[in-house]
Amino acid sequence: MKVDRLSPGSQLGPFDAGQQSGPTVLRIVLGTQLRRLREAQGITREAAGDHIRASHAKISRLELGRVGFKDRDIADLLTLYGVTDEREREEFLGLVRRANAPGWWHQYSDLLPNWFEMYLRLEQAAAIIRTFQVQFVPGLLQAEDYARSVILVGHQGESVDEIDRRVNLRMTRQKLLGEPGAPRFWAVIDEAALRRPFGPPRVMRSQLDHLLEMTELPNVTVQVLPFRFGGHAAAGGPFTILRFAEPDLPDIVYLEQLTSAVYLDKRAEVENYLAVMERVCVQAETPARSVEMLHRMRNEA
C-alpha cells in the first residue's frame, strides 16, 4: 500500500510508512499520526484517554510509539478524531496489526526487561547509531567469549542455560550490522573499556581481534579515546544516540542505568548530547589511528 504523510489538520490519508518498514517504525509513525489527528480536532490527551477508558499517560505512550496498540482502542480513537471512512479505518488498523508483530527477540522475552526490549526495537529501526562507552566494548561489537564474561558479571547465580541464552541474544543482535540496509554504527570507546579485563588474557585478545574485524565493515566506525587526553566532554557517562531515516521520527538518546533506562527525545536534550558526541569524536583518535592503537594493544595483550 502506497501512503502519504498527514499534514496537521488533515483527515486520515495513506501513510508514507512503506511495505518495508519494521514494526518499530510503523508504531512510531502511527503514533505520530494519532497525535496529529487528535491535535487537529483540538482534543486533549486527557479527553482521549477518557474515551478509551485509560489515562492521558497511555495516550502519550501510544503517540510516542512506546507501547503496543489494541484494535479496539485505536478504532475508538479514530471515531473520536472524526475518521469514519471504512477504507481509511481499515488501512490504519491493518498497519496497527503489522506494528504489533513480535520482533526476533520475542523468544527471549522472559530475559528482557521492558525498558531494554524498547531499545532493541529502536536499534533495529535506526539508520545511524552513535555510542560512547566507558566500561565495556559496545554490545554490537562484542566477541562471544567477551560477551559471556561481561554477562556473567551482571548475572551471577543464573543457570548455565540462562547465560547461554543471554549470549545467544547478544550474538543475534549483532547480525544487524551485516544485513542489507544495515545502519551506520559509530562507536567511541574509552581506552578504559579496552584495558579492563573480562576473563583471561585470551578473551581480551579475541575481543581486540574481533574489534579489528568489525572496523573493516563499511558501515562501522570505531574511535578510541586514549587515557593521555585526560578529561573529556562525555565525563557524565556512556550514552547512545539513535537516528532514523523517517523524517517524522526524532533522534533518541538512550541512557542505560542499572535496573532501568531513560529515553530522551526532546530537541534541546538531544542537541546537547549530539554536541557532546561531536566533541568526543574530535578528542578521540581518528578511525585510522584508532585501528593502529587497537593493533598495538593486541600485540601487548
Side-chain angles (χ1 to χ4, degrees):
M1 179 173 55
K2 178 63 180 168
V3 287
D4 260 306
R5 274 192 184 79
L6 285 170
S7 58
S10 72
Q11 281 298 306
L12 182 64
F15 309 99
D16 191 7
Q19 288 288 4
Q20 300 305 314
S21 294
T24 299
V25 170
L26 281 174
R27 186 181 287 185
I28 299 174
V29 170
L30 289 171
T32 299
Q33 305 296 348
L34 287 172
R35 175 181 58 78
R36 290 178 175 176
L37 286 167
R38 177 181 59 77
E39 292 176 346
Q41 296 296 321
I43 297 171
T44 65
R45 287 193 179 95
E46 289 78 6
D50 289 343
H51 191 73
I52 62 168
R53 305 153 297 281
S55 66
H56 72 279
K58 179 175 180 178
I59 296 298
S60 179
R61 291 193 294 271
L62 283 172
E63 292 179 353
L64 291 171
R66 293 184 179 174
V67 294
F69 302 116
K70 293 182 179 178
D71 280 12
R72 176 183 172 184
D73 288 344
I74 301 305
D76 288 348
L77 287 174
L78 292 177
T79 299
L80 177 66
Y81 300 158
V83 180
T84 57
D85 182 272
E86 286 303 319
R87 183 185 61 81
E88 293 178 351
R89 291 170 65 91
E90 186 51 40
E91 284 183 350
F92 198 106
L93 291 171
L95 289 174
V96 163
R97 288 186 280 274
R98 283 176 53 203
N100 285 335
W104 60 261
W105 54 87
H106 181 69
Q107 61 183 306
Y108 301 101
S109 58
D110 57 314
L111 301 176
L112 293 172
N114 290 337
W115 54 266
F116 189 64
E117 183 175 348
M118 178 64 189
Y119 177 76
L120 290 181
R121 287 184 174 276
L122 294 171
E123 185 177 78
Q124 291 289 310
I128 301 174
I129 304 170
R130 301 180 70 182
T131 189
F132 172 71
Q133 295 296 325
V134 179
Q135 186 171 2
F136 309 109
V137 172
L140 287 175
L141 300 180
Q142 290 181 7
E144 184 170 344
D145 286 345
Y146 178 91
R148 184 178 300 276
S149 297
V150 171
I151 289 168
L152 281 169
V153 170
H155 298 277
Q156 296 179 20
E158 289 194 0
S159 69
V160 173
D161 179 64
E162 287 174 318
I163 296 298
D164 285 345
R165 292 181 66 217
R166 290 187 184 278
V167 173
N168 289 337
L169 168 62
R170 191 159 300 179
M171 295 301 101
T172 303
R173 271 180 68 197
Q174 296 181 1
K175 294 179 181 178
L176 171 72
L177 295 180
E179 294 175 345
R184 181 181 178 192
F185 185 69
W186 187 350
V188 179
I189 308 173
D190 195 288
E191 184 177 349
L194 301 171
R195 297 288 186 186
R196 180 175 290 107
F198 283 95
R202 66 171 179 80
V203 171
M204 296 308 296
R205 287 195 294 269
S206 173
Q207 176 58 64
L208 290 167
D209 286 339
H210 184 68
L211 260 181
L212 286 166
E213 290 175 10
M214 296 300 287
T215 62
E216 295 177 4
L217 292 176
N219 57 312
V220 173
T221 301
V222 173
Q223 291 183 261
V224 179
L225 185 62
F227 286 142
R228 70 175 186 275
F229 289 168
H232 54 77
F239 61 95
T240 299
I241 304 172
L242 302 113
R243 175 164 292 178
F244 308 91
E246 288 72 14
D248 274 349
L249 307 189
D251 292 352
I252 293 177
V253 176
Y254 172 73
L255 304 172
E256 186 169 322
Q257 302 172 346
L258 187 61
T259 58
S260 63
V262 175
Y263 294 87
L264 306 176
D265 58 7
K266 292 182 179 178
R267 178 173 296 180
E269 294 173 325
V270 172
E271 287 181 349
N272 281 337
Y273 277 93
L274 284 168
V276 169
M277 181 66 82
E278 293 297 338
R279 291 199 295 273
V280 169
C281 289
V282 170
Q283 288 180 292
E285 295 283 19
T286 65
R289 291 178 63 88
S290 294
V291 168
E292 294 173 1
M293 187 174 178
L294 290 172
H295 276 293
R296 289 196 301 272
M297 294 175 71
R298 172 61 178 84
N299 293 334
E300 297 167 1

